[in-house]
Amino acid sequence: MGKRRNYKVWHVILLAFVFLAASACGGNNSGKTPEDAQGANGGKEGNTSDAPSADEQTTLSVWWFPLWKGSDEKQDGWVKEKAKEFMNMHPNVTKIDIEMLDWNNGIQKLDAAIAAGSAPDLSYIDLAWLPKYLKQDMLVPIDSYIDKTDAADFYKSTTDYATYNGKLYAFPILIAPRVFYANKTMLEEMGLADKLPLQGDRAWTVDQFKEIAANFPYKKDSKTYYATQISTNQADWQHLLWFWNFGADLYNSDESKFTLNSPQGVQSLDFLLDMKKSGAFKFIAGGAKPLNFWAGDMAFFPDVAYTEEKVEELLEKSIPADKKIPEVVALQFPTGPDVAKAKTYSGIGGIPVFKQKGKNENHTKMAMEFAKYLTNTENVKAAEKIGSFPTRISSGDVFGGDENAKVARYMMQDGKDLGRGESTSKILISLINPELDAAFAGKKTSKQALDDLATKANEVLDGGK
């Protein structure tokens, strides 16, 4: 990097995942690891159910969001092309109606259709939206329509995210994991770049990170730079990455109890308080303007996993024209004691099949077949068009050795989520950050703040049963 280039602006919708994360829900059930997948048949039509009748005519309805364009450069082009391919393979499907939704009110339109009893057969959604549709009993479990080998070809984090009470409720299609970015140019100026883990899988520990953080705040040309920031603005949840990588979890396995006040959680908050006290981390309280990593305000920042080309594009937009574009590299998140593998947040999109009144089993099977076709090994590779990642292991490396993509693939195999119960949104938005604010303001110790948080969160969980 360092040389400015002109790029066509990508039609990236990954920021939608950041916004939706504030109300996110996920899954955390048992399943095979990616290494268990043997000879996955992601591109095949096979499943454990009987084949649909070849002579019973079927019309399907699909609602889609602007993800990636088709060969005609239209936002609905890709899904329409896939619909045509599918109908050629299944002559009994005589029509597939495609309706495009937008990111501003698409989910509200879907909610209204479901409430009115006119849901589409299938739709793309951020899988954070699954719980409310489960509560409404509107989703068809897909387990009996997909064989175990095929299911195991999806990254485990993606099927975990769509699994509830042991049942899988969506076909995952894309992943937008977070990685830990470092401004290598800034650290080279400080004589610290040799401490970055730039070989192999780019994994490292909190202790290694602290060797660099100890040199911040860093002042140059009358400006102060920080190692990173910690924000308790209402919709900000990036600090949870630190908790996860110290081994803490928001909830127990069935999400019946809030557990962030575990010893690992206390250890994590102690670390964050130490970083704030030393000045290494800039604390951004509710309402305060955050720093801009892409404009060069700090050395490290967790963000969506972008390709190297996309990273340079972001820098070019953010760095003043008279300044040199720095080199930014993607790393795994630093891990605390006794944490063997870095944890990330997985922003996952998928395709559920909705229940339909008055439609027979053949109709449901064909809806499942189309959802499965859209998410087979070849078709999920389309996620690369927006800088996101395919959900299937068998799709391989679609980014041609891009170093940032390699880091993301290491981390996204076992991602974390923000909770999946009805009460998790309230806990995330209304409880977590206010209690953390009390700790950062010095009003409570880490243990007091997290214990008080757990008490309030568990009251909400108990009331939500």
Side-chain angles (χ1 to χ4, degrees):
M1 295 189 194
K3 204 173 170 186
R4 290 183 181 270
R5 294 186 257 175
N6 292 321
Y7 292 101
K8 181 180 179 182
V9 178
W10 290 20
H11 295 271
V12 179
I13 49 77
L14 298 181
L15 291 178
F17 295 117
V18 177
F19 171 77
L20 292 168
S23 62
C25 310
N28 215 1
N29 294 280
S30 61
K32 291 187 177 182
T33 63
E35 291 76 13
D36 290 329
Q38 302 284 331
N41 65 342
K44 297 181 180 180
E45 292 292 306
N47 59 53
T48 57
S49 61
D50 294 332
S53 171
D55 56 2
E56 184 173 340
Q57 293 188 344
T58 301
T59 297
L60 298 176
S61 60
V62 179
W63 287 13
W64 202 251
F65 282 83
L67 293 169
W68 40 78
K69 295 180 180 181
S71 58
D72 59 0
E73 287 300 306
K74 294 181 179 179
Q75 289 289 1
D76 63 355
W78 183 85
V79 68
K80 284 185 174 179
E81 290 167 11
K82 298 305 163 184
K84 184 176 180 180
E85 292 171 5
F86 184 77
M87 286 188 287
N88 286 338
M89 297 164 58
H90 299 274
N92 61 311
V93 179
T94 57
K95 187 177 182 182
I96 299 180
D97 290 318
I98 308 291
E99 181 163 347
M100 292 299 293
L101 305 176
D102 65 60
W103 293 109
N104 292 324
N105 60 18
I107 194 62
Q108 289 85 355
K109 185 173 182 178
L110 182 59
D111 289 348
I114 289 173
S118 56
D121 290 303
L122 54 143
S123 176
Y124 171 85
I125 67 168
D126 184 311
L127 294 187
W129 297 327
L130 281 178
K132 59 182 173 182
Y133 302 135
L134 281 168
K135 182 183 179 182
Q136 294 170 283
D137 192 27
M138 282 301 302
L139 300 178
V140 183
I142 73 173
D143 304 82
S144 61
Y145 300 92
I146 184 171
D147 65 45
K148 292 182 179 180
T149 302
D150 196 9
D153 187 39
F154 290 104
Y155 284 105
K156 179 178 179 292
S157 61
T158 69
T159 49
D160 278 357
Y161 200 58
T163 298
Y164 294 81
N165 298 321
K167 295 181 180 180
L168 184 61
Y169 283 95
F171 294 88
I173 193 170
L174 64 82
I175 317 174
R178 272 60 176 172
V179 295
F180 198 54
Y181 291 104
N183 186 323
K184 184 183 177 185
T185 300
M186 180 188 294
L187 296 172
E188 284 174 340
E189 293 173 355
M190 299 174 67
L192 300 170
D194 62 329
K195 297 183 181 296
L196 294 173
L198 298 179
Q199 303 300 318
D201 61 7
R202 297 189 178 182
W204 59 329
T205 66
V206 168
D207 286 340
Q208 290 172 305
F209 171 80
K210 287 166 70 174
E211 291 182 23
I212 295 178
N215 296 275
F216 287 88
Y218 168 57
K219 296 187 177 182
K220 179 185 176 183
D221 299 332
S222 73
K223 183 172 180 177
T224 301
Y225 300 88
Y226 298 88
T228 191
Q229 66 186 358
I230 187 74
S231 171
T232 53
N233 284 326
Q234 186 181 64
D236 203 325
W237 51 269
Q238 304 280 16
H239 45 277
L240 293 179
L241 286 158
W242 290 105
F243 284 90
W244 288 332
N245 281 284
F246 270 86
D249 283 302
L250 285 167
Y251 303 96
N252 61 358
S253 59
D254 64 359
E255 297 195 18
S256 61
K257 183 178 180 182
F258 189 84
T259 61
L260 201 63
N261 62 329
S262 65
Q264 294 88 344
V266 173
Q267 187 179 21
S268 175
L269 187 50
D270 281 342
F271 164 78
L272 294 176
L273 292 176
D274 287 345
M275 290 294 101
K276 173 185 175 289
K277 184 177 181 181
S278 71
F281 285 17
K282 174 70 172 178
F283 175 58
I284 311 294
K289 184 178 179 181
L291 301 175
N292 186 349
F293 170 80
W294 300 107
D297 293 342
M298 49 188 160
F300 298 93
F301 188 64
D303 205 346
V304 172
Y306 300 114
T307 62
E308 292 176 300
E309 184 180 48
K310 179 61 181 176
V311 163
E312 190 161 346
E313 180 188 324
L314 288 169
L315 292 167
E316 184 174 275
K317 292 177 181 177
S318 304
I319 299 294
D322 60 339
K323 301 290 185 181
K324 178 183 176 182
I325 294 179
E327 181 180 1
V328 167
V329 295
L331 312 172
Q332 292 201 52
F333 212 89
T335 53
D338 304 320
V339 176
K341 190 178 186 315
K343 307 299 181 184
T344 187
Y345 169 73
S346 295
I348 302 170
I351 304 173
V353 172
F354 294 98
K355 291 182 178 180
Q356 303 292 331
K357 291 182 179 179
K359 299 293 178 67
N360 61 21
E361 173 61 13
N362 180 77
H363 185 90
T364 301
K365 286 180 179 179
M366 294 317 301
M368 287 287 179
E369 289 296 319
F370 188 44
K372 186 160 55 176
Y373 181 69
L374 291 172
T375 57
N376 71 25
T377 297
E378 289 304 314
N379 286 335
V380 295
K381 291 180 181 180
E384 178 268 340
K385 295 182 180 182
I386 57 168
S388 191
F389 293 82
T391 48
R392 284 190 180 270
I393 301 162
S394 59
S395 295
D397 180 8
V398 298
F399 290 106
D402 184 282
E403 290 298 327
N404 291 0
K406 287 181 183 178
V407 173
R409 290 188 73 206
Y410 283 124
M411 296 190 69
M412 72 187 186
Q413 295 182 16
D414 192 18
K416 305 289 283 187
D417 61 72
L418 302 174
R420 58 182 188 161
E422 290 179 57
S423 303
T424 55
S425 176
K426 179 179 180 180
I427 291 169
L428 183 71
I429 295 173
S430 303
L431 299 182
I432 292 179
N433 282 347
E435 284 298 331
L436 294 184
D437 268 336
F440 284 115
K443 297 178 181 179
K444 296 181 181 181
T445 66
S446 296
K447 188 172 187 337
Q448 288 172 334
L450 292 178
D451 281 346
D452 289 347
L453 170 58
T455 297
K456 294 175 182 178
N458 283 319
E459 288 175 356
V460 172
L461 290 174
D462 289 340
K465 289 182 179 178

